[in-house]
Amino acid sequence: MWETSVVTLEAAGQAATSELSRAALRHAAAELAGDSSGHDPSHVVRVYRSARDLARAEGAQMEKVEIIAALHDLKDFKFTGDTTTGPRAAREWLLANGADETLAAGVADDIAGISFKGAGTPLQPLSLEGACVQDADRLDALGAIGVARCFAYGGFVGRPLFDPTVPTVEHTSVESYLKTQGTSLNHFHEKLFLLRSRMNTATAKGIADARHEFMERFVAQFLDEWNGEGQR
């Protein structure tokens, strides 16, 4: 028996500021059901709740934050190979569900800039609401859940756990980021260890510190065990 309370999608939706936010959550859950890459409905709920907390701390517009958080991983470029599919899917869904053009366009613009696309790729400007969601999404890539999601995604795309002969890469283009196979352990150096310094909000930076340090300990332990340390 797990001694923890699991926040369901229904519970998260009950706290939403509008029916449109609740509908966006339900839509994301349906679209991402069955995902095994670490981008499943539970990830959306965690990002949604975390983004709401950051929005309150930073004074962001709550409904927009909720909608961006709900829709941020739909048709994501990691799975489609096209950076325009996610923003376009969000905009089209919003317009089809009664949102005005200003909100739909703003959400789409932020979704276009949220995902990490390589350490050396240009950053895209975000609204305060987009920045809160980006921080929430990045926080979910750190700590214990970040470790679990890293290896889940690695297994999903066929990456080996680790190969000391495979160098880490500072990707300078989306194409390089998508096409370089690498290893799951390399992903810590290519992305995850970079996220703490790339948080937008002071609130997220404080949370990221402890999660970053946990991952450093994990990688050190992983390498010790890989190299046979602790077996004697």
Side-chain angles (χ1 to χ4, degrees):
M1 179 68 67
W2 299 107
E3 294 183 1
T4 185
S5 59
V6 178
V7 177
T8 64
L9 181 120
E10 290 76 16
Q14 287 174 3
T17 59
S18 71
E19 179 53 40
L20 185 61
S21 296
R22 282 187 284 274
L25 266 178
R26 292 193 296 268
H27 176 60
E31 289 287 305
L32 299 172
D35 174 88
S36 60
S37 74
H39 301 82
D40 55 6
S42 295
H43 165 67
V44 173
V45 169
R46 290 192 302 271
V47 171
Y48 181 89
R49 295 181 69 223
S50 180
R52 279 175 48 88
D53 290 342
L54 294 174
R56 280 190 289 269
E58 302 296 328
Q61 204 282 322
M62 188 63 76
E63 183 189 41
K64 185 180 178 185
V65 166
E66 291 173 346
I67 293 169
I68 297 169
L71 302 179
H72 79 280
D73 263 343
L74 301 189
K75 303 294 189 289
D76 188 75
F77 81 101
K78 290 187 293 294
F79 307 109
T80 68
D82 181 347
T83 58
T84 69
T85 51
R88 185 168 63 248
R91 180 179 177 276
E92 290 174 353
W93 183 87
L94 285 166
L95 292 176
N97 283 270
D100 61 52
E101 175 61 37
T102 299
L103 176 61
V107 168
D109 286 346
D110 279 325
I111 287 176
I114 283 173
S115 290
F116 183 92
K117 299 180 178 72
T121 57
L123 300 178
Q124 295 177 243
L126 299 171
S127 69
L128 174 59
E129 291 74 26
C132 288
V133 177
Q134 184 180 69
D135 280 1
D137 189 39
R138 290 179 171 181
L139 286 173
D140 206 53
L142 302 179
I145 286 178
V147 170
R149 292 182 65 226
C150 176
F151 287 100
Y153 184 76
F156 182 80
V157 299
R159 289 175 177 165
L161 293 179
F162 180 50
D163 182 342
T165 69
V166 176
T168 59
V169 179
E170 183 178 309
H171 304 285
T172 57
S173 70
V174 175
E175 292 73 23
S176 171
Y177 188 69
L178 288 173
K179 291 178 180 178
T180 304
Q181 178 71 354
T183 74
S184 289
L185 203 71
N186 284 5
H187 194 61
F188 285 85
H189 295 283
E190 293 170 349
K191 175 184 177 181
L192 305 186
F193 284 152
L194 307 178
L195 297 182
R196 176 172 64 174
S197 66
R198 298 186 180 208
M199 295 292 169
N200 302 290
T201 65
T203 306
K205 289 174 183 175
I207 299 169
D209 284 341
R211 297 188 185 190
H212 180 98
E213 290 166 7
F214 174 90
M215 292 194 310
E216 288 183 324
R217 294 195 300 273
F218 171 83
V219 170
Q221 178 75 13
F222 181 102
L223 291 172
D224 280 351
E225 293 181 16
W226 184 276
N227 291 319
E229 300 296 330
Q231 295 181 21
R232 296 186 293 274

